[in-house]
Amino acid sequence: GGRNDKNKENENSITATPTLNIVSTEFSIDEKYTIIYKPKNITVSIQSIQSNVKYQYYCAPRLDKDVFLTAQMIDWEQYNLLEGQANVFFEGTFIGSTLLDTRYLTDTLEISLGRDKSVKVERNKSHDFSEKTIFGGDKIAYREWDIAVRNGKQQSIDIIVEDQFPISGDSKIDVKPEEKSGGKLDEKTG
């Protein structure tokens, strides 16, 4: 028997029962289902999961000024998710594909939801000057950067902004971080 399309034009929903085996999950289709030929791909949803997630924004403006949004899912192991490519829908809209990486034993699965253009980050050089010291003729170079975040959303967000102090590869050059504006410094990576 056939079934009317209740969802979007390319997406159908059916009832399936998952069976857990030792190395796989098998889905048994609980009802007869007819797929009508169309000259395009048809997506059939066999399982739907609802889970609470924490939305985390991230930006490293030294590398890319775009802000990325991730959904962090806790206790994801109970859903038997498979590693591989996944299509991502956010607020009912397809936003692209991502890779579900389930290889690592962590309690949080991070799912990329792509770039969010409503949050802007700017990184601009504010000071760049040098001076010579009287003792020993050493030259001191100062570099200062300003990073500004503008949230264009109606609600507040949680954002991680990463930058880096230079790391010297020359024993004659000493780099001293002076101001972090409350940031946390990893001494090894800057």
Side-chain angles (χ1 to χ4, degrees), residues 74-86:
I74 299 173
D75 297 331
W76 57 271
E77 298 93 340
Q78 64 183 309
Y79 301 120
N80 300 304
L81 299 175
L82 299 175
E83 177 186 343
Q85 185 173 329

Side-chain angles (χ1 to χ4, degrees), residues 142 165 176-180:
Y142 292 92
F165 286 108
K176 293 181 182 176
E178 291 194 354
E179 183 185 342
K180 303 183 299 283

Side-chain angles (χ1 to χ4, degrees), residues 5-25:
D5 187 3
K6 294 181 182 176
N7 299 325
K8 291 179 246 173
E9 182 181 339
N10 291 347
E11 188 174 334
N12 300 297
S13 180
I14 60 175
T15 306
T17 303
T19 304
L20 301 180
N21 297 319
I22 293 175
V23 293
S24 65
T25 302

